[in-house]
Amino acid sequence: MYGATIEQRRYSFSDLKILLAKATPLRSGDMLAGVAADSGEERVAAQFALADLPLATFLNEAVVPYERDEVTRLIIDSHDKAAFAPVSHLTVGGLRDWLLSDEATTPVLAALAPGLTPEMAAAVSKISRLQDLMVMAAKCSVVTRFRNTIGQPGHLSVRLQPNHPTDDVRGIAASILDGLLLGAGDAVIGINPATDSPERAHALLSMLDEIRVKLDIPTQSCVLAHVTTTLELIGEGSPVDLVFQSIAGTQAANKSFGVDLPLLREARDAALSLKRGTIGDNVMYFETGQGSALSANAHHGVDQQTVEARAYAVARAFKPLLVNTVVGFIGPEYLYDGKQITRAGLEDHFCGKLLGLPMGVDVCYTNHAEADQDDADALLALLVSAGVNFVMGVPGADDVMLGYQSTSFHDALAMRDLYGKRPAPEFEAWLTKQGLMDGANRIRPRELPSQFQALLPSA
């Protein structure tokens, strides 16, 4: 039993799961699930009680039972007690204060990451303001490598997302050309296929690999098919760089995606066996999003932000190149408006980085959410100042296949200019070689490089 008193009224919370839910800043998904605080006063009381909670509590009380959930077992069984030792005496509020202090340097936080559980990170986020989330996340540096180096301080990478509603090769090639000219694609050139057929995925992978080889681009490609489809393609010799999969924070939610931990291990091993990375072996690409477990009725009564943080334990186990929270994609039933989307994006980025993940954020919203491009612009700027590893690059910020609003090639270019961020070093050298950088090391295409003729529809 946990509790706190506000103005002579005592609030009690019967277990850790309820305490975490009641302490969560307001969002529509928790209201839909019936786990949100009944009032602002109850929420503040829960936050007071959570702040005073010893971190060791999270090692003794699971929000989803150990016996019923392989994600809980992963969290508990992989916990690094030695890494946890320096903060083991702290409360949740004490950890927040320490993370904001000068003692919490980048190397110290990297060493601490294996000692923190997702629930600990989620708890800290619930008692933090947006500025806190940004300051703490900015101290975390998570660098990954495949054909280039992603996540170094001072750099911002971009996933080039050239989706097409019919997977038309010419349309996709035109979008890739547009993105490359504006410096997108160093995180990955990644296509969401309109269908999940192995034949279509193979054709798209082959096209991406042909473009990469023809232009000698130091980047990686990915067709975001289901992991079982990608495994089949690896067995047939398709040019697979990264294995993609959507994941969530409970075993039941992952089952709704058609995956479990052994399957993800099999896929990672298969991708590693190809040895396609030239400077590193981070071969996995995961996407997550607050509300996914609730939408599958697989949240076990846990609030959506805590479940989201638990998904990062799944990702962490497989040493991914990229992890992307698609923050506003599921819709207003889970994150109602721009205010809720903004907070969720900064929460996810902070929790992922603190747990040692190479976090990107798809700054996005659906057209029936109470959000607009001003909200997206604001969140994008906040994330870049907080050190996000990568963002999306979508033609015109409007994904015509998935039907949602994201960030454009020009948005990413504006952030690089505004904050002095650079592309991945190997990719930047390639942009310079192509004549796409000006004398001030800015991405400023003046003409179509001759090699790019291979991407024109007539080609």
Side-chain angles (χ1 to χ4, degrees):
M1 178 74 71
Y2 309 101
T5 300
I6 301 292
E7 294 188 354
Q8 299 182 340
R9 180 175 179 181
R10 181 68 178 175
Y11 287 88
S12 297
F13 310 98
S14 59
D15 60 29
L16 181 58
K17 175 171 64 177
I18 292 174
L19 177 63
L20 287 166
K22 297 293 187 180
T24 305
L26 181 66
R27 62 205 62 201
S28 53
D30 290 339
M31 295 178 67
L32 178 66
V35 302
D38 294 329
S39 66
E41 187 175 277
E42 184 184 30
R43 182 173 298 108
V44 170
Q47 289 172 344
F48 269 111
L50 185 60
D52 289 338
L53 192 70
L55 291 177
T57 306
F58 294 94
L59 301 177
N60 299 316
E61 184 177 349
V63 296
V64 182
Y66 183 93
E67 300 76 14
R68 296 174 52 193
D69 188 86
E70 68 175 1
V71 177
T72 299
R73 293 193 290 274
L74 173 68
I75 292 168
I76 298 300
D77 295 348
S78 63
H79 180 251
D80 188 329
K81 292 181 180 179
F84 178 59
V87 298
S88 61
H89 62 290
L90 296 177
T91 62
V92 171
L95 178 59
R96 171 193 167 274
D97 293 344
W98 180 82
L99 289 170
L100 290 168
S101 76
D102 292 338
E103 296 177 42
T105 62
T106 298
V108 168
L109 291 176
L112 175 65
L116 297 178
T117 69
E119 291 86 353
M120 292 176 191
V124 170
S125 76
K126 294 175 194 298
I127 62 169
S128 298
R129 54 192 283 201
L130 298 190
Q131 183 182 106
D132 298 337
L133 297 172
M134 294 164 61
V135 169
M136 293 184 292
K139 297 182 181 186
C140 301
S141 177
V142 183
V143 178
T144 55
R145 295 176 175 86
F146 187 77
R147 289 197 187 93
N148 59 26
T149 306
I150 300 170
Q152 289 180 323
H155 293 258
L156 172 67
S157 294
V158 183
R159 171 190 162 187
L160 202 170
Q161 185 171 307
N163 297 341
H164 192 278
T166 63
D167 289 336
D168 180 77
V169 173
R170 295 197 304 168
I172 291 172
S175 294
I176 293 174
L177 170 63
D178 189 17
L180 290 173
L181 288 173
L182 293 170
D186 53 336
V188 64
I189 304 175
I191 303 172
N192 296 88
T195 66
D196 201 46
S197 76
E199 295 78 15
R200 181 66 59 85
H202 171 76
L204 293 174
L205 281 169
S206 298
M207 180 198 72
L208 289 175
D209 200 53
E210 181 181 1
I211 290 173
R212 181 187 64 80
V213 171
K214 278 184 177 179
L215 299 183
D216 194 25
I217 311 171
T219 191
Q220 37 283 329
S221 64
C222 184
V223 171
L224 282 67
H226 191 269
V227 64
T228 53
T229 300
T230 304
L231 268 171
E232 181 179 339
L233 293 171
I234 291 174
E236 295 176 354
S238 296
V240 173
D241 288 344
L242 306 183
V243 174
F244 167 81
Q245 183 55 47
S246 295
I247 56 172
T250 70
Q251 180 177 339
N254 284 322
K255 184 178 180 180
S256 76
F257 288 143
V259 300
D260 57 20
L261 299 182
L263 178 60
L264 295 177
R265 291 190 192 99
E266 179 186 355
R268 180 173 182 267
D269 289 344
L272 287 172
S273 72
L274 300 178
K275 301 184 185 303
R276 290 177 59 84
T278 55
I279 65 170
D281 61 359
N282 299 116
V283 295
M284 303 298 285
Y285 175 15
F286 294 119
E287 285 191 351
T288 67
Q290 288 194 29
S292 58
L294 175 58
S295 68
N297 194 28
H299 62 297
H300 297 276
V302 181
D303 70 272
Q304 66 182 38
Q305 190 261 330
T306 300
V307 175
E308 169 70 9
R310 284 168 54 92
Y312 304 151
V314 177
R316 183 167 64 175
F318 300 100
K319 299 179 174 58
L321 181 76
L322 308 166
V323 179
N324 175 36
T325 171
V326 193
V327 67
F329 182 72
I330 305 182
E333 299 84 1
Y334 306 96
L335 295 169
Y336 179 72
D337 57 15
K339 182 180 178 68
Q340 292 186 11
I341 291 170
T342 296
R343 174 147 192 115
L346 291 169
E347 288 170 346
D348 294 351
H349 176 248
F350 159 71
C351 288
K353 278 294 195 62
L354 186 63
L355 294 168
L357 287 178
M359 289 301 295
V361 180
D362 190 342
V363 178
C364 63
Y365 60 95
T366 58
N367 289 318
H368 62 310
E370 291 294 322
D372 58 26
Q373 206 59 41
D374 285 344
D375 296 308
D377 286 351
L379 176 55
L380 177 62
L382 294 175
L383 284 164
V384 174
S385 66
V388 70
N389 278 27
F390 68 101
V391 295
M392 301 299 108
V394 177
D398 183 3
D399 193 303
V400 294
M401 194 279 281
L402 293 175
Y404 78 119
Q405 305 303 123
S406 185
T407 50
S408 71
F409 306 136
H410 285 90
D411 292 335
L413 187 59
M415 292 299 101
R416 282 171 169 165
D417 285 354
L418 182 62
Y419 289 96
K421 299 286 188 179
R422 312 287 287 272
E426 301 85 353
F427 193 82
E428 183 177 46
W430 177 81
L431 291 171
T432 301
K433 183 179 179 180
Q434 300 300 318
L436 299 176
M437 308 282 285
D438 67 8
N441 286 321
R442 300 175 304 177
I443 301 167
R444 294 292 188 272
R446 299 188 181 279
E447 59 184 4
L448 186 69
S450 58
Q451 282 186 303
F452 279 46
Q453 297 293 330
L455 296 184
L456 293 174
S458 59

